[in-house]
Amino acid sequence: MAGGVISGNSKAYPGELTWKVFVTCLVAACGGLIFGYDIGISGGVTSMTPFLKEFFPDVYKKQSEIKASSNQYCKFNSATLTMFTSSLYLAALLASCVASFVTKACGRKISMLVGGITFCVGAVLNGIAVNVWMLIVGRILLGIGIGFANQSVPLYLSEVAPYKWRGACNVLFQLSITVGILVANAVNYGFAQIKGGWGWRLSLGGAIVPAIIFIIGSLTLADTPNSLIQRGKLQEAKERLLKIRGVDNVDEEFNDLVEASEQSKKIKSPWFNLLKRKYRPQVFFAIAIPFFQQLTGMNVFMFYAPVLFKTMGFGDNASLLSALITGAVNTLATIVSILLVDKFGRRFWFLQGGIQMLVMQIVITGAIAFKFGFNGNPGELEKWYSILVVLAICIYIAGFAWSWGPLGWLVPSEIFPLEIRSAAQSVNVSVNMIFTFFIAQIFLQMLCALRFFLFVFFMIWVLLMTIVIYLYLPETKGIPIEEMAGIWKEHWYWKRFVPVADEEMAEVKDTKKDEDKN
């Protein structure tokens, strides 16, 4: 196989997935709730007529003037409206860089706590907003919170989970995101029914709830052994490792963590260290995976789902209900990933999901082209057509939700060595937020300009990313996180970037351990 399943001699540290560890991972993963709730809530609110009338009257006027027989592609095209949606992701991008230093110096727990508190303040500001600038400042604070959470939570999960269950535990973060989206879709649908047109305030202000859950959860968590060792708290780290592994002896894993920490302390600048040739494979995927993840087009369906369905002729309530259905599919498919990601491996789901998304994008593109054409005039939408579109989008979303969705966070967080882990995770989050911002900012303009060819744009990227995964990503299933460097040494392409000196040092290390045992 081109990408290759690597058969390296990875270590088998003792420890199982205990209830204590599972609950710890579940609590930490609640950081995804704030991200998911925001993704779901923003698209729903921007499709609510009272919200548009109060804050975006130009969009409301354009929408009111466009009849069913007119061009539907451009009805929501507004630079201010897209700035409301995308300002969060620009703030998250900048915050993730700051979060890298906080996560390394103060621990994963503090970063999560900062993220929850900042998000909570932003939610309050959005709920009481009286003008567009209050909304955007609130969104910026939400973005700072998400930047901190997305930087620290995946690292926390990868470091706490036993290596055999790392995939399932890390995917809890993506499950939390999808639950947040689903809850937001349900909240939007329910609050849109409130007479008086103020339901949008409850939708935006409701973000306080997942923020408080995350804050309380962060306060109850202990930091990871990796982080404690990195900050010189060796005894506390060993006690923590014994608790989460549920065994009496963790000496081998603990000693390897200490050694990895000692190596990391020799690195004066992790950011400049990322440029070293031996880290080329990790940095490539730290950039490529979040880049491709956003160019699947999935976030378009998530935070613009109600707007997109409304553009396709669904009514206000029908568009929110359709978004609720797709949110439920997203959540259920993520559960599939939790159950099976450690059984079939990362490569299998990346490739299967990519093919499934590609096929459904062809169907969606054909359906929109058939009915809307170039002029954007669909006429009357028959019931069978509406069912076909929603079904195709649901199958597409399922393909993403058990592949690129969870694996986009899992794989980057598990491949970085400790000395560059915090900085590299910031690169991962930053690239994710750059292209989330990019897609959010230009999607409505691209829809207006490209018509149904917009979906061809995403289709090309899905094809390309599937080929890249097939050729260049080795399997990371079942490999301890501190032993991950070995997979690149055996890969047909990446082995040229791993220095021979590293291999020699590894052999010396193994020999010394054998002598110590004897």
Side-chain angles (χ1 to χ4, degrees), residues 380-410:
E380 184 179 353
L381 294 179
E382 296 86 352
K383 186 176 181 179
W384 68 265
Y385 177 85
S386 301
I387 292 174
L388 173 65
V389 170
V390 173
L391 181 62
I393 290 176
C394 284
I395 297 174
Y396 163 83
I397 287 173
F400 177 88
W402 58 47
S403 64
W404 279 90
L407 298 180
W409 296 106
L410 166 60

Side-chain angles (χ1 to χ4, degrees), residues 202-222:
L202 296 179
S203 290
L204 292 178
I208 295 171
V209 176
I212 291 175
I213 292 173
F214 186 41
I215 291 169
I216 294 173
S218 299
L219 289 171
T220 64
L221 295 174

Side-chain angles (χ1 to χ4, degrees), residues 120-132:
C120 191
V121 174
V124 172
L125 195 58
N126 270 351
I128 63 173
V130 294
N131 56 52
V132 172

Side-chain angles (χ1 to χ4, degrees), residues 345-416:
R346 286 52 160 159
R347 280 174 53 81
F348 171 83
W349 288 111
F350 266 131
L351 298 174
Q352 188 281 334
I355 293 170
Q356 182 171 324
M357 286 190 292
L358 181 62
V359 172
M360 285 303 104
Q361 281 180 328
I362 293 172
V363 174
I364 294 167
T365 303
I368 295 175
F370 170 74
K371 201 66 179 174
F372 287 76
F374 285 99
N375 61 12
N377 178 8
E380 184 179 353
L381 294 179
E382 296 86 352
K383 186 176 181 179
W384 68 265
Y385 177 85
S386 301
I387 292 174
L388 173 65
V389 170
V390 173
L391 181 62
I393 290 176
C394 284
I395 297 174
Y396 163 83
I397 287 173
F400 177 88
W402 58 47
S403 64
W404 279 90
L407 298 180
W409 296 106
L410 166 60
V411 173
S413 71
E414 68 183 359
I415 63 175
F416 306 136

Side-chain angles (χ1 to χ4, degrees), residues 156-177:
Y156 188 97
L157 294 172
S158 287
E159 291 176 348
V160 167
Y163 74 94
K164 290 185 290 187
W165 297 93
R166 189 176 60 244
C169 289
N170 200 289
V171 173
L172 288 173
F173 179 64
Q174 178 66 18
L175 177 64
S176 185
I177 292 175

Side-chain angles (χ1 to χ4, degrees), residues 71-376:
N71 184 350
Q72 301 294 308
Y73 289 121
C74 302
K75 67 192 293 184
F76 286 98
N77 188 16
S78 164
T80 310
L81 183 61
T82 53
M83 179 56 71
F84 164 75
T85 301
S86 60
S87 56
L88 178 148
Y89 303 103
L90 188 60
L93 159 66
L94 299 175
S96 66
C97 298
V98 178
S100 168
F101 297 100
V102 176
T103 301
K104 184 176 181 180
C106 305
R108 285 54 166 148
K109 175 179 178 176
I110 294 298
S111 276
M112 291 190 284
L113 192 58
V114 170
I117 293 171
T118 311
F119 189 91
C120 191
V121 174
V124 172
L125 195 58
N126 270 351
I128 63 173
V130 294
N131 56 52
V132 172
W133 286 110
M134 281 186 73
L135 284 177
I136 292 178
V137 171
R139 295 283 293 170
I140 290 172
L141 290 174
L142 294 177
I144 293 172
I146 287 172
F148 271 83
N150 287 7
Q151 203 278 339
S152 53
V153 172
L155 290 185
Y156 188 97
L157 294 172
S158 287
E159 291 176 348
V160 167
Y163 74 94
K164 290 185 290 187
W165 297 93
R166 189 176 60 244
C169 289
N170 200 289
V171 173
L172 288 173
F173 179 64
Q174 178 66 18
L175 177 64
S176 185
I177 292 175
T178 63
V179 169
I181 293 171
L182 178 60
V183 169
N185 288 333
V187 163
N188 280 334
Y189 183 72
F191 289 156
Q193 317 304 319
I194 295 177
K195 294 181 180 179
W198 51 273
W200 62 268
R201 289 194 180 276
L202 296 179
S203 290
L204 292 178
I208 295 171
V209 176
I212 291 175
I213 292 173
F214 186 41
I215 291 169
I216 294 173
S218 299
L219 289 171
T220 64
L221 295 174
D223 221 327
T224 70
N226 310 61
S227 179
L228 292 169
I229 290 170
Q230 198 169 31
R231 289 179 285 137
K233 301 179 180 181
L234 300 186
Q235 186 58 39
E236 186 180 348
K238 189 167 187 178
E239 292 172 359
R240 174 68 176 149
L241 191 60
L242 284 166
K243 286 181 181 179
I244 63 177
R245 293 295 177 257
V247 295
D248 296 328
N249 190 329
V250 293
D251 288 349
E252 184 179 19
E253 183 176 4
F254 178 75
N255 291 335
D256 284 346
L257 291 177
V258 171
E259 185 169 347
S261 178
E262 290 302 318
Q263 292 297 322
S264 73
K265 288 177 182 177
K266 295 177 182 178
I267 306 301
K268 300 301 181 184
S269 176
W271 290 93
F272 286 110
N273 209 51
L274 289 173
L275 302 177
K276 287 188 176 180
R277 180 181 174 85
K278 67 177 180 178
Y279 298 126
R280 196 74 54 81
Q282 294 95 328
V283 173
F284 173 80
F285 284 109
I287 296 171
I289 288 178
F291 169 77
F292 286 140
Q293 187 188 50
Q294 296 311 309
L295 288 171
T296 61
M298 175 62 177
N299 273 353
V300 166
F301 289 107
M302 285 295 97
F303 52 65
Y304 282 126
V307 170
L308 192 59
F309 283 126
K310 204 169 179 181
T311 295
M312 290 190 288
F314 294 71
D316 285 3
N317 288 338
S319 66
L320 291 173
L321 182 59
S322 298
L324 180 58
I325 293 170
T326 57
V329 170
N330 193 20
T331 301
L332 293 173
T334 304
I335 294 174
V336 172
S337 182
I338 290 175
L339 297 174
L340 299 176
V341 68
D342 286 313
K343 181 177 182 179
F344 293 102
R346 286 52 160 159
R347 280 174 53 81
F348 171 83
W349 288 111
F350 266 131
L351 298 174
Q352 188 281 334
I355 293 170
Q356 182 171 324
M357 286 190 292
L358 181 62
V359 172
M360 285 303 104
Q361 281 180 328
I362 293 172
V363 174
I364 294 167
T365 303
I368 295 175
F370 170 74
K371 201 66 179 174
F372 287 76
F374 285 99
N375 61 12

